[in-house]
Amino acid sequence: MTELKGALNQVEIGSAPIERFRHLLDDDVRSELDREMDGLVAALRGRVLWNVNSTARGGGVAELLASLIPYDRDAGIDERWVVIEGSPDFFNVTKKIHTLLHGVDSDGAALTEEDRRQYEQATSRNAAALTEIIRPGDVAILHDPQTAGLVPALSARGIHVIWRSHIGVDQPDDAVRNAWTFLRPYVTKAAACVFSRNAYVWEGLDPSRVRIIAPCIDPFATKNEDLTGDTVTAILHAGGILQGRDGEATFKRHDGTRGHVVRTAHLEETALPYEARIVLQVSRWDRLKDPIGVMDGFAGHIAPSTDAWLVLAGPAATSVKDDPEQPEILDELTRRRQAMPSSVRTRIVIAQLPMEDTDENAAIVNALQRRADVVVQKSLAEGFGLTVAEAMWKGRPVVASRVGGIEDQIESDKSGLLIDDPKDLQAFGEAVVRLLADEAEARRLGTEARRQVIRKFITPCHLIEQGRLIQEILSRTPA
Ligand code: UDP
């Protein structure tokens, strides 16, 4: 990162060839991508496309920007990424906003005038620094609530501002509305507001300025790159998850160099047998991901009638010191597993993945998803399930709860199986057993899943939508 004026930092970004997607796309999508990228390059000539958020690492937004920007840059767009700074007080307020936007009323407390004062103090300092480097006529995409307060000052300078929300809930309550009321005066000054799905659009916004752009995955990222069967086995063996033979446990890092899996996952028992059939859930140790429900569903409804193993994979507890809830849930899960009869317990593997090296972690997740016979995502709520899209890209049959963004991702019985009631362990178990028993059915769902992800949720889909929006805004008000 390079330090800029004021409290800003610029994230260094390389470029990546958009050409690599060609073989994945249908002719019509390929032509559309060419058309939109050419149009965007022409519309942005002489302008800079800026992205502004509050963190360079960690979290879905940082991951999305790190994967998208290189393709625009390769197409000839001068696109940059700036990270704002704030005091602990500012981040306390934005954390409160974030919690409220998820429908959780933090301490029953609504946002106050003092919160607004803290928030505006930080955003006006950042806006002052930004308007020194962003020129009138440039385009700025501001991400999430931390940057909403920058919209009025940047718009007033003649900068074309898009504000983008990456979070949302299916059923807004008073807590959610409280956060909307706090932020709405800022974001209504934007040329457009972007949400991940229709259900997440706030009340009280001008519909003509609202657009939907779904998140996407990059098939060429370390987490998703193609791996041979031997490499999958070698990575899982080197990572201490699977018994078997040594091999070349290598992967491509995000900077293009080759890496080797050298760290092992923490498992409380021995590694899985080489031949094991695997049911997998990958997620943070979060109540909303319901790992305990997955384990109970496996023990009660999958283990008795199959020979499958369950792998619950997530970050090593030692890596999540900033989130006390995750080690707590991991403890609860481990204790519950210990209390199970050994016939079931020995087939339940809680895998804490090494997190020291993000690329190594991604390679292990990639190998796990590719090796799994069935991938599950039994979430109780979900904005957009990246893990679902990742598994679908890998042609895996997915069993998931019919909640939030997952409903946009999977068409039940066509590209996966959806469970209507996320707490219905029997329905969950039966769906998994059905796929374990019927390989042809599992293959059919997996093949269609991959097709759907390629059509809707990979990088080019996002580039097309975003390119179209920017061109529209620039043609509306030429500066
Ligand atoms: N993930 C990971 N390592 C882990 C656990 C999760 O890389 O140990 C990744 C997972 O592959 C996915 C992301 O974290 O890319 C989680 O995104 P998702 O939308 O599924 O859930 P969120 O954590 O954002 O609620």
Side-chain angles (χ1 to χ4, degrees), residues 430-449:
E430 281 171 5
V432 173
V433 170
R434 181 177 141 198
L435 297 183
L436 287 169
D438 188 344
E439 269 181 43
E441 172 75 343
R443 206 171 315 116
R444 179 182 72 82
L445 294 176
T447 305
E448 185 55 26

Side-chain angles (χ1 to χ4, degrees), residues 193-223:
C193 290
V194 177
F195 295 86
S196 301
R197 53 191 308 247
N198 254 317
Y200 296 167
V201 177
W202 302 357
E203 291 156 6
L205 297 181
D206 172 1
S208 71
R209 293 187 173 218
V210 169
R211 292 290 178 279
I212 306 300
I213 303 182
C216 63
I217 58 160
D218 182 351
F220 301 99
T222 310
K223 170 98 39 86

